[in-house]
Amino acid sequence: MLRSWFAGLAVLAGMIVPLASATPAAAQARTLAYVTNAFSGTVSVIDTATNTVTATIPVGSRPEGVAVTPDGTRVYVANSDGTTVSVISTASNAVTATITVGGGPRGVAITPDGTRAYVTNSISGTVSVISTATNTVTATVSVGMAPRGVAVGSSVYVANPGSNTVSVIDIASNTVTATIDVGTFPQGVAVNPDSAYVTNTNDGTVSVIDAAGNGIAATIPVGSSPLGVAAALVGGANVYVTNATSPGTVSVINSASNTVTATIPVGSLPQGVAVVPDASRVYVTNVGSDTVSVIDSAANAVTATVNVGDGPVAVAIGTIPVLEQPRIATTLTLKAEEKKKEKGQDGRGVMAGGGLALKARLTTGGEPVDGKPIEFTTDSVSLCTDTTDSRGHAFCKVPRRYDDEACYTATFAGDATHGPSTATACTRNHHGRPAPAVG
């Protein structure tokens, strides 16, 4: 019965993707989790800062494997009920390409440099190599029977549950360089710099492969029906294994001693697992409860549960750049108006209320922009600051000592939505005539 159930719900390797190395230092970024919902044909996007679903993206039929590119711009999703991989743009949360691969694609992993994606085809018994630059298949590699999980380290490791082996693919040549016997019905695979960890579903164990020699370094008993596995790269470098029928637990393996140090209850039928970049939290998909459990790695306890789509199978986490949106252009105009002289009691002309008033107006597309601060200056000396009213107007009364033959500047520094603008006006030009306002 277990074998039949696993044939319908394959596990993705819980690899850690190198994170956003190409993102400019000044750019903002978010850490997002992408969850494939096999029975609803969608991907749920979870903001790990708030543990809320921010988007639901339709993809192909029965999506399973998922991986994020190192620069955080794209997500690759294997659609197991067919022969396609969907490519999601993280900027638009939409599918921008569909790639034809082998039959029954289950797992997907991306190289550290982001140039290639490796997809396991369970029906074809092959791995498709995708160029991420062109989104085309550039090579097809024959591996063991019914390949499922895949992870990329110094080599590509593929779990073959149909032949109880792991195929090791050389990245440079895209050829199989080793075939390693592991436990019964291996499904998940994850890597850290020294080892590959493989879940043996029918044995309740994890095989540890020495990456240098491709030998079995250890076999670790875990819970019942282990499926997914993810290796943290910092914070103690623990390895996390989902046990589907323990019931519903995650085993925490210390990678230094290769022993289980904790067992954490999660949701029903846990399968996929991924670790945030700083290793502070672990995300686990629960197929049976349509949820994602969020584990605090310091406390080894679930601190949040997120509702997602129907049948969440796999999860991948990446650092996603937040592209700055272009700000709205603004126009600022400035007038310097001298007050009219009025007759005093002795008939002489006097200046009513002072000498000069500056009036600025801020608009965008001809419409007034209100509630924005405008700074008035002359010769780099600050005169005053006023906030635009409902008509876009801001005002400044100028001390009389600046009245004669002076130039004044109004400045809007801009904000997150509106771009900056300035305007200058002079009270007199070099001929002694009033100067026009300058926008």
PDB file of all heavy atoms in Angstrom, residues 189-211:
ATOM      1  N   VAL A 189      16.831  13.031  -1.784  1.00  0.00           N
ATOM      2  CA  VAL A 189      18.280  13.184  -1.700  1.00  0.00           C
ATOM      3  C   VAL A 189      18.607  14.658  -1.487  1.00  0.00           C
ATOM      4  O   VAL A 189      17.957  15.541  -2.051  1.00  0.00           O
ATOM      5  CB  VAL A 189      18.990  12.626  -2.957  1.00  0.00           C
ATOM      6  CG1 VAL A 189      18.491  13.303  -4.220  1.00  0.00           C
ATOM      7  CG2 VAL A 189      20.493  12.765  -2.849  1.00  0.00           C
ATOM      8  N   ALA A 190      19.587  14.901  -0.609  1.00  0.00           N
ATOM      9  CA  ALA A 190      20.059  16.260  -0.340  1.00  0.00           C
ATOM     10  C   ALA A 190      21.562  16.210  -0.161  1.00  0.00           C
ATOM     11  O   ALA A 190      22.133  15.160   0.162  1.00  0.00           O
ATOM     12  CB  ALA A 190      19.392  16.832   0.913  1.00  0.00           C
ATOM     13  N   VAL A 191      22.214  17.346  -0.367  1.00  0.00           N
ATOM     14  CA  VAL A 191      23.672  17.380  -0.266  1.00  0.00           C
ATOM     15  C   VAL A 191      24.117  18.502   0.662  1.00  0.00           C
ATOM     16  O   VAL A 191      23.455  19.521   0.807  1.00  0.00           O
ATOM     17  CB  VAL A 191      24.326  17.574  -1.654  1.00  0.00           C
ATOM     18  CG1 VAL A 191      24.061  16.394  -2.555  1.00  0.00           C
ATOM     19  CG2 VAL A 191      23.853  18.876  -2.307  1.00  0.00           C
ATOM     20  N   ASN A 192      25.260  18.256   1.322  1.00  0.00           N
ATOM     21  CA  ASN A 192      26.036  19.330   1.925  1.00  0.00           C
ATOM     22  C   ASN A 192      27.445  19.193   1.339  1.00  0.00           C
ATOM     23  O   ASN A 192      27.677  18.315   0.499  1.00  0.00           O
ATOM     24  CB  ASN A 192      25.988  19.271   3.457  1.00  0.00           C
ATOM     25  CG  ASN A 192      26.630  18.039   4.045  1.00  0.00           C
ATOM     26  OD1 ASN A 192      27.409  17.349   3.390  1.00  0.00           O
ATOM     27  ND2 ASN A 192      26.308  17.736   5.290  1.00  0.00           N
ATOM     28  N   PRO A 193      28.406  20.012   1.708  1.00  0.00           N
ATOM     29  CA  PRO A 193      29.707  19.940   1.027  1.00  0.00           C
ATOM     30  C   PRO A 193      30.402  18.585   1.098  1.00  0.00           C
ATOM     31  O   PRO A 193      31.198  18.259   0.214  1.00  0.00           O
ATOM     32  CB  PRO A 193      30.522  21.018   1.755  1.00  0.00           C
ATOM     33  CG  PRO A 193      29.506  22.009   2.206  1.00  0.00           C
ATOM     34  CD  PRO A 193      28.325  21.190   2.586  1.00  0.00           C
ATOM     35  N   ASP A 194      30.107  17.791   2.119  1.00  0.00           N
ATOM     36  CA  ASP A 194      30.844  16.540   2.312  1.00  0.00           C
ATOM     37  C   ASP A 194      30.077  15.285   1.930  1.00  0.00           C
ATOM     38  O   ASP A 194      30.683  14.250   1.646  1.00  0.00           O
ATOM     39  CB  ASP A 194      31.283  16.408   3.778  1.00  0.00           C
ATOM     40  CG  ASP A 194      32.162  17.566   4.215  1.00  0.00           C
ATOM     41  OD1 ASP A 194      33.029  17.962   3.418  1.00  0.00           O
ATOM     42  OD2 ASP A 194      31.959  18.066   5.334  1.00  0.00           O
ATOM     43  N   SER A 195      28.738  15.350   1.951  1.00  0.00           N
ATOM     44  CA  SER A 195      27.964  14.112   1.846  1.00  0.00           C
ATOM     45  C   SER A 195      26.676  14.325   1.064  1.00  0.00           C
ATOM     46  O   SER A 195      26.210  15.458   0.874  1.00  0.00           O
ATOM     47  CB  SER A 195      27.606  13.600   3.254  1.00  0.00           C
ATOM     48  OG  SER A 195      28.750  13.467   4.060  1.00  0.00           O
ATOM     49  N   ALA A 196      26.121  13.196   0.632  1.00  0.00           N
ATOM     50  CA  ALA A 196      24.769  13.159   0.094  1.00  0.00           C
ATOM     51  C   ALA A 196      23.925  12.291   1.019  1.00  0.00           C
ATOM     52  O   ALA A 196      24.376  11.227   1.464  1.00  0.00           O
ATOM     53  CB  ALA A 196      24.767  12.595  -1.323  1.00  0.00           C
ATOM     54  N   TYR A 197      22.710  12.754   1.332  1.00  0.00           N
ATOM     55  CA  TYR A 197      21.813  12.046   2.253  1.00  0.00           C
ATOM     56  C   TYR A 197      20.620  11.532   1.453  1.00  0.00           C
ATOM     57  O   TYR A 197      19.950  12.308   0.756  1.00  0.00           O
ATOM     58  CB  TYR A 197      21.360  12.970   3.378  1.00  0.00           C
ATOM     59  CG  TYR A 197      22.481  13.372   4.298  1.00  0.00           C
ATOM     60  CD1 TYR A 197      23.365  14.384   3.952  1.00  0.00           C
ATOM     61  CD2 TYR A 197      22.683  12.718   5.517  1.00  0.00           C
ATOM     62  CE1 TYR A 197      24.421  14.743   4.789  1.00  0.00           C
ATOM     63  CE2 TYR A 197      23.727  13.071   6.356  1.00  0.00           C
ATOM     64  CZ  TYR A 197      24.591  14.081   5.983  1.00  0.00           C
ATOM     65  OH  TYR A 197      25.631  14.424   6.809  1.00  0.00           O
ATOM     66  N   VAL A 198      20.344  10.241   1.560  1.00  0.00           N
ATOM     67  CA  VAL A 198      19.304   9.591   0.763  1.00  0.00           C
ATOM     68  C   VAL A 198      18.315   8.903   1.691  1.00  0.00           C
ATOM     69  O   VAL A 198      18.700   8.102   2.550  1.00  0.00           O
ATOM     70  CB  VAL A 198      19.924   8.562  -0.200  1.00  0.00           C
ATOM     71  CG1 VAL A 198      18.841   7.921  -1.068  1.00  0.00           C
ATOM     72  CG2 VAL A 198      20.997   9.199  -1.065  1.00  0.00           C
ATOM     73  N   THR A 199      17.021   9.206   1.500  1.00  0.00           N
ATOM     74  CA  THR A 199      15.989   8.560   2.316  1.00  0.00           C
ATOM     75  C   THR A 199      15.591   7.230   1.678  1.00  0.00           C
ATOM     76  O   THR A 199      15.236   7.168   0.497  1.00  0.00           O
ATOM     77  CB  THR A 199      14.740   9.448   2.444  1.00  0.00           C
ATOM     78  OG1 THR A 199      14.233   9.766   1.138  1.00  0.00           O
ATOM     79  CG2 THR A 199      15.066  10.739   3.179  1.00  0.00           C
ATOM     80  N   ASN A 200      15.648   6.164   2.483  1.00  0.00           N
ATOM     81  CA  ASN A 200      15.221   4.835   2.045  1.00  0.00           C
ATOM     82  C   ASN A 200      13.839   4.569   2.631  1.00  0.00           C
ATOM     83  O   ASN A 200      13.697   4.175   3.800  1.00  0.00           O
ATOM     84  CB  ASN A 200      16.230   3.780   2.512  1.00  0.00           C
ATOM     85  CG  ASN A 200      17.631   4.094   2.014  1.00  0.00           C
ATOM     86  OD1 ASN A 200      17.850   4.287   0.830  1.00  0.00           O
ATOM     87  ND2 ASN A 200      18.587   4.160   2.933  1.00  0.00           N
ATOM     88  N   THR A 201      12.813   4.780   1.824  1.00  0.00           N
ATOM     89  CA  THR A 201      11.445   4.829   2.326  1.00  0.00           C
ATOM     90  C   THR A 201      10.997   3.518   2.972  1.00  0.00           C
ATOM     91  O   THR A 201      10.387   3.518   4.050  1.00  0.00           O
ATOM     92  CB  THR A 201      10.485   5.199   1.174  1.00  0.00           C
ATOM     93  OG1 THR A 201      10.871   6.454   0.630  1.00  0.00           O
ATOM     94  CG2 THR A 201       9.051   5.285   1.669  1.00  0.00           C
ATOM     95  N   ASN A 202      11.283   2.395   2.360  1.00  0.00           N
ATOM     96  CA  ASN A 202      10.791   1.127   2.889  1.00  0.00           C
ATOM     97  C   ASN A 202      11.650   0.562   4.017  1.00  0.00           C
ATOM     98  O   ASN A 202      11.254  -0.391   4.690  1.00  0.00           O
ATOM     99  CB  ASN A 202      10.687   0.095   1.771  1.00  0.00           C
ATOM    100  CG  ASN A 202       9.541   0.403   0.820  1.00  0.00           C
ATOM    101  OD1 ASN A 202       8.863   1.418   0.964  1.00  0.00           O
ATOM    102  ND2 ASN A 202       9.333  -0.457  -0.165  1.00  0.00           N
ATOM    103  N   ASP A 203      12.841   1.130   4.232  1.00  0.00           N
ATOM    104  CA  ASP A 203      13.721   0.666   5.303  1.00  0.00           C
ATOM    105  C   ASP A 203      13.647   1.531   6.557  1.00  0.00           C
ATOM    106  O   ASP A 203      14.131   1.114   7.615  1.00  0.00           O
ATOM    107  CB  ASP A 203      15.184   0.665   4.829  1.00  0.00           C
ATOM    108  CG  ASP A 203      15.455  -0.403   3.791  1.00  0.00           C
ATOM    109  OD1 ASP A 203      14.587  -1.270   3.603  1.00  0.00           O
ATOM    110  OD2 ASP A 203      16.523  -0.347   3.158  1.00  0.00           O
ATOM    111  N   GLY A 204      13.097   2.739   6.442  1.00  0.00           N
ATOM    112  CA  GLY A 204      13.100   3.662   7.581  1.00  0.00           C
ATOM    113  C   GLY A 204      14.497   4.146   7.920  1.00  0.00           C
ATOM    114  O   GLY A 204      14.818   4.356   9.100  1.00  0.00           O
ATOM    115  N   THR A 205      15.340   4.313   6.900  1.00  0.00           N
ATOM    116  CA  THR A 205      16.723   4.729   7.138  1.00  0.00           C
ATOM    117  C   THR A 205      17.128   5.840   6.170  1.00  0.00           C
ATOM    118  O   THR A 205      16.450   6.115   5.176  1.00  0.00           O
ATOM    119  CB  THR A 205      17.710   3.566   6.960  1.00  0.00           C
ATOM    120  OG1 THR A 205      17.653   3.100   5.604  1.00  0.00           O
ATOM    121  CG2 THR A 205      17.392   2.429   7.909  1.00  0.00           C
ATOM    122  N   VAL A 206      18.274   6.434   6.476  1.00  0.00           N
ATOM    123  CA  VAL A 206      18.930   7.406   5.594  1.00  0.00           C
ATOM    124  C   VAL A 206      20.339   6.896   5.308  1.00  0.00           C
ATOM    125  O   VAL A 206      21.103   6.595   6.241  1.00  0.00           O
ATOM    126  CB  VAL A 206      18.993   8.803   6.228  1.00  0.00           C
ATOM    127  CG1 VAL A 206      19.886   9.738   5.417  1.00  0.00           C
ATOM    128  CG2 VAL A 206      17.594   9.386   6.362  1.00  0.00           C
ATOM    129  N   SER A 207      20.690   6.787   4.037  1.00  0.00           N
ATOM    130  CA  SER A 207      22.052   6.425   3.642  1.00  0.00           C
ATOM    131  C   SER A 207      22.869   7.694   3.465  1.00  0.00           C
ATOM    132  O   SER A 207      22.409   8.654   2.826  1.00  0.00           O
ATOM    133  CB  SER A 207      22.050   5.642   2.319  1.00  0.00           C
ATOM    134  OG  SER A 207      21.398   4.406   2.458  1.00  0.00           O
ATOM    135  N   VAL A 208      24.070   7.687   4.037  1.00  0.00           N
ATOM    136  CA  VAL A 208      24.976   8.829   3.910  1.00  0.00           C
ATOM    137  C   VAL A 208      26.091   8.449   2.947  1.00  0.00           C
ATOM    138  O   VAL A 208      26.856   7.510   3.211  1.00  0.00           O
ATOM    139  CB  VAL A 208      25.567   9.239   5.272  1.00  0.00           C
ATOM    140  CG1 VAL A 208      26.437  10.483   5.114  1.00  0.00           C
ATOM    141  CG2 VAL A 208      24.449   9.485   6.290  1.00  0.00           C
ATOM    142  N   ILE A 209      26.164   9.151   1.819  1.00  0.00           N
ATOM    143  CA  ILE A 209      27.170   8.866   0.793  1.00  0.00           C
ATOM    144  C   ILE A 209      28.328   9.848   0.949  1.00  0.00           C
ATOM    145  O   ILE A 209      28.121  11.066   1.000  1.00  0.00           O
ATOM    146  CB  ILE A 209      26.569   8.977  -0.614  1.00  0.00           C
ATOM    147  CG1 ILE A 209      25.453   7.964  -0.798  1.00  0.00           C
ATOM    148  CG2 ILE A 209      27.642   8.807  -1.680  1.00  0.00           C
ATOM    149  CD1 ILE A 209      24.678   8.129  -2.100  1.00  0.00           C
ATOM    150  N   ASP A 210      29.527   9.330   1.033  1.00  0.00           N
ATOM    151  CA  ASP A 210      30.726  10.162   1.069  1.00  0.00           C
ATOM    152  C   ASP A 210      30.926  10.762  -0.322  1.00  0.00           C
ATOM    153  O   ASP A 210      31.157  10.033  -1.291  1.00  0.00           O
ATOM    154  CB  ASP A 210      31.930   9.317   1.464  1.00  0.00           C
ATOM    155  CG  ASP A 210      33.226  10.103   1.468  1.00  0.00           C
ATOM    156  OD1 ASP A 210      33.159  11.346   1.378  1.00  0.00           O
ATOM    157  OD2 ASP A 210      34.302   9.484   1.553  1.00  0.00           O
ATOM    158  N   ALA A 211      30.835  12.098  -0.423  1.00  0.00           N
ATOM    159  CA  ALA A 211      30.905  12.751  -1.724  1.00  0.00           C
ATOM    160  C   ALA A 211      32.262  12.559  -2.391  1.00  0.00           C
ATOM    161  O   ALA A 211      32.366  12.577  -3.623  1.00  0.00           O
ATOM    162  CB  ALA A 211      30.598  14.244  -1.582  1.00  0.00           C
TER     163      ALA A 211
END
